[in-house]
Amino acid sequence: MNKKCTKYEGLFIFADEKTFQEHVKNCPDCQVEHEKMEKVSKLLQEVRPIYVKKRKLTAQLKIACAICAMLLSGTVMGLINFNTDISDMIKYGTVLSADDLGFPVDSYGLLMVE
């Protein structure tokens, strides 16, 4: 029984190019593995432009969403600042109580139950 060569991965990662190519020329198991890797590499090179285009589109969409959010928030803040009715009604730190809402309250500000 003939054992299969398992040096391909180690030589591919750790050996220099000359040693790796020399071993691939002499070893039939590694030649088959190298052919498979070359096919995968060609497929990746073929698909790369599509992947890059998709990533650019995603980045452009994120930028467009951020710009829209800034414009919308700026518009809303501008409306609140220029419209005195809204800005008088909404103030930082103000809390509406039950008395402000028109409910009957006792001297402690709690709802009266009759």
Side-chain angles (χ1 to χ4, degrees):
M1 184 157 96
N2 191 7
K3 287 191 173 188
K4 188 175 178 182
C5 179
T6 58
K7 295 180 182 178
Y8 182 80
E9 184 178 346
L11 289 173
F12 183 78
I13 295 172
F14 298 113
D16 58 82
E17 187 67 26
K18 182 181 176 186
T19 308
F20 174 70
Q21 290 298 334
E22 201 172 289
H23 179 76
V24 169
K25 285 180 187 176
N26 297 331
C27 180
D29 293 334
C30 292
Q31 284 177 356
V32 171
E33 189 71 25
H34 189 65
E35 288 172 5
K36 288 179 188 177
M37 293 297 275
E38 288 295 320
K39 287 179 184 177
V40 170
S41 178
K42 287 178 185 176
L43 285 174
L44 288 174
Q45 291 300 325
E46 184 179 329
V47 175
R48 186 176 184 273
I50 297 168
Y51 179 72
V52 169
K53 186 186 292 185
K54 186 176 181 182
R55 286 184 63 192
K56 282 183 182 178
L57 179 64
T58 304
Q60 290 172 349
L61 287 174
K62 286 179 183 179
I63 291 170
C65 287
I67 290 172
C68 288
M70 287 190 303
L71 288 174
L72 180 66
S73 63
T75 303
V76 168
M77 290 300 173
L79 288 174
I80 288 175
N81 285 337
F82 289 124
N83 192 347
T84 56
D85 296 337
I86 295 173
S87 61
D88 288 341
M89 194 168 61
I90 302 172
K91 290 187 178 180
Y92 180 73
T94 59
V95 178
L96 292 176
S97 64
D99 190 30
D100 294 335
L101 296 173
F103 294 113
V105 292
D106 61 4
S107 61
Y108 295 108
L110 301 172
L111 288 174
M112 284 183 62
V113 179
E114 295 184 28

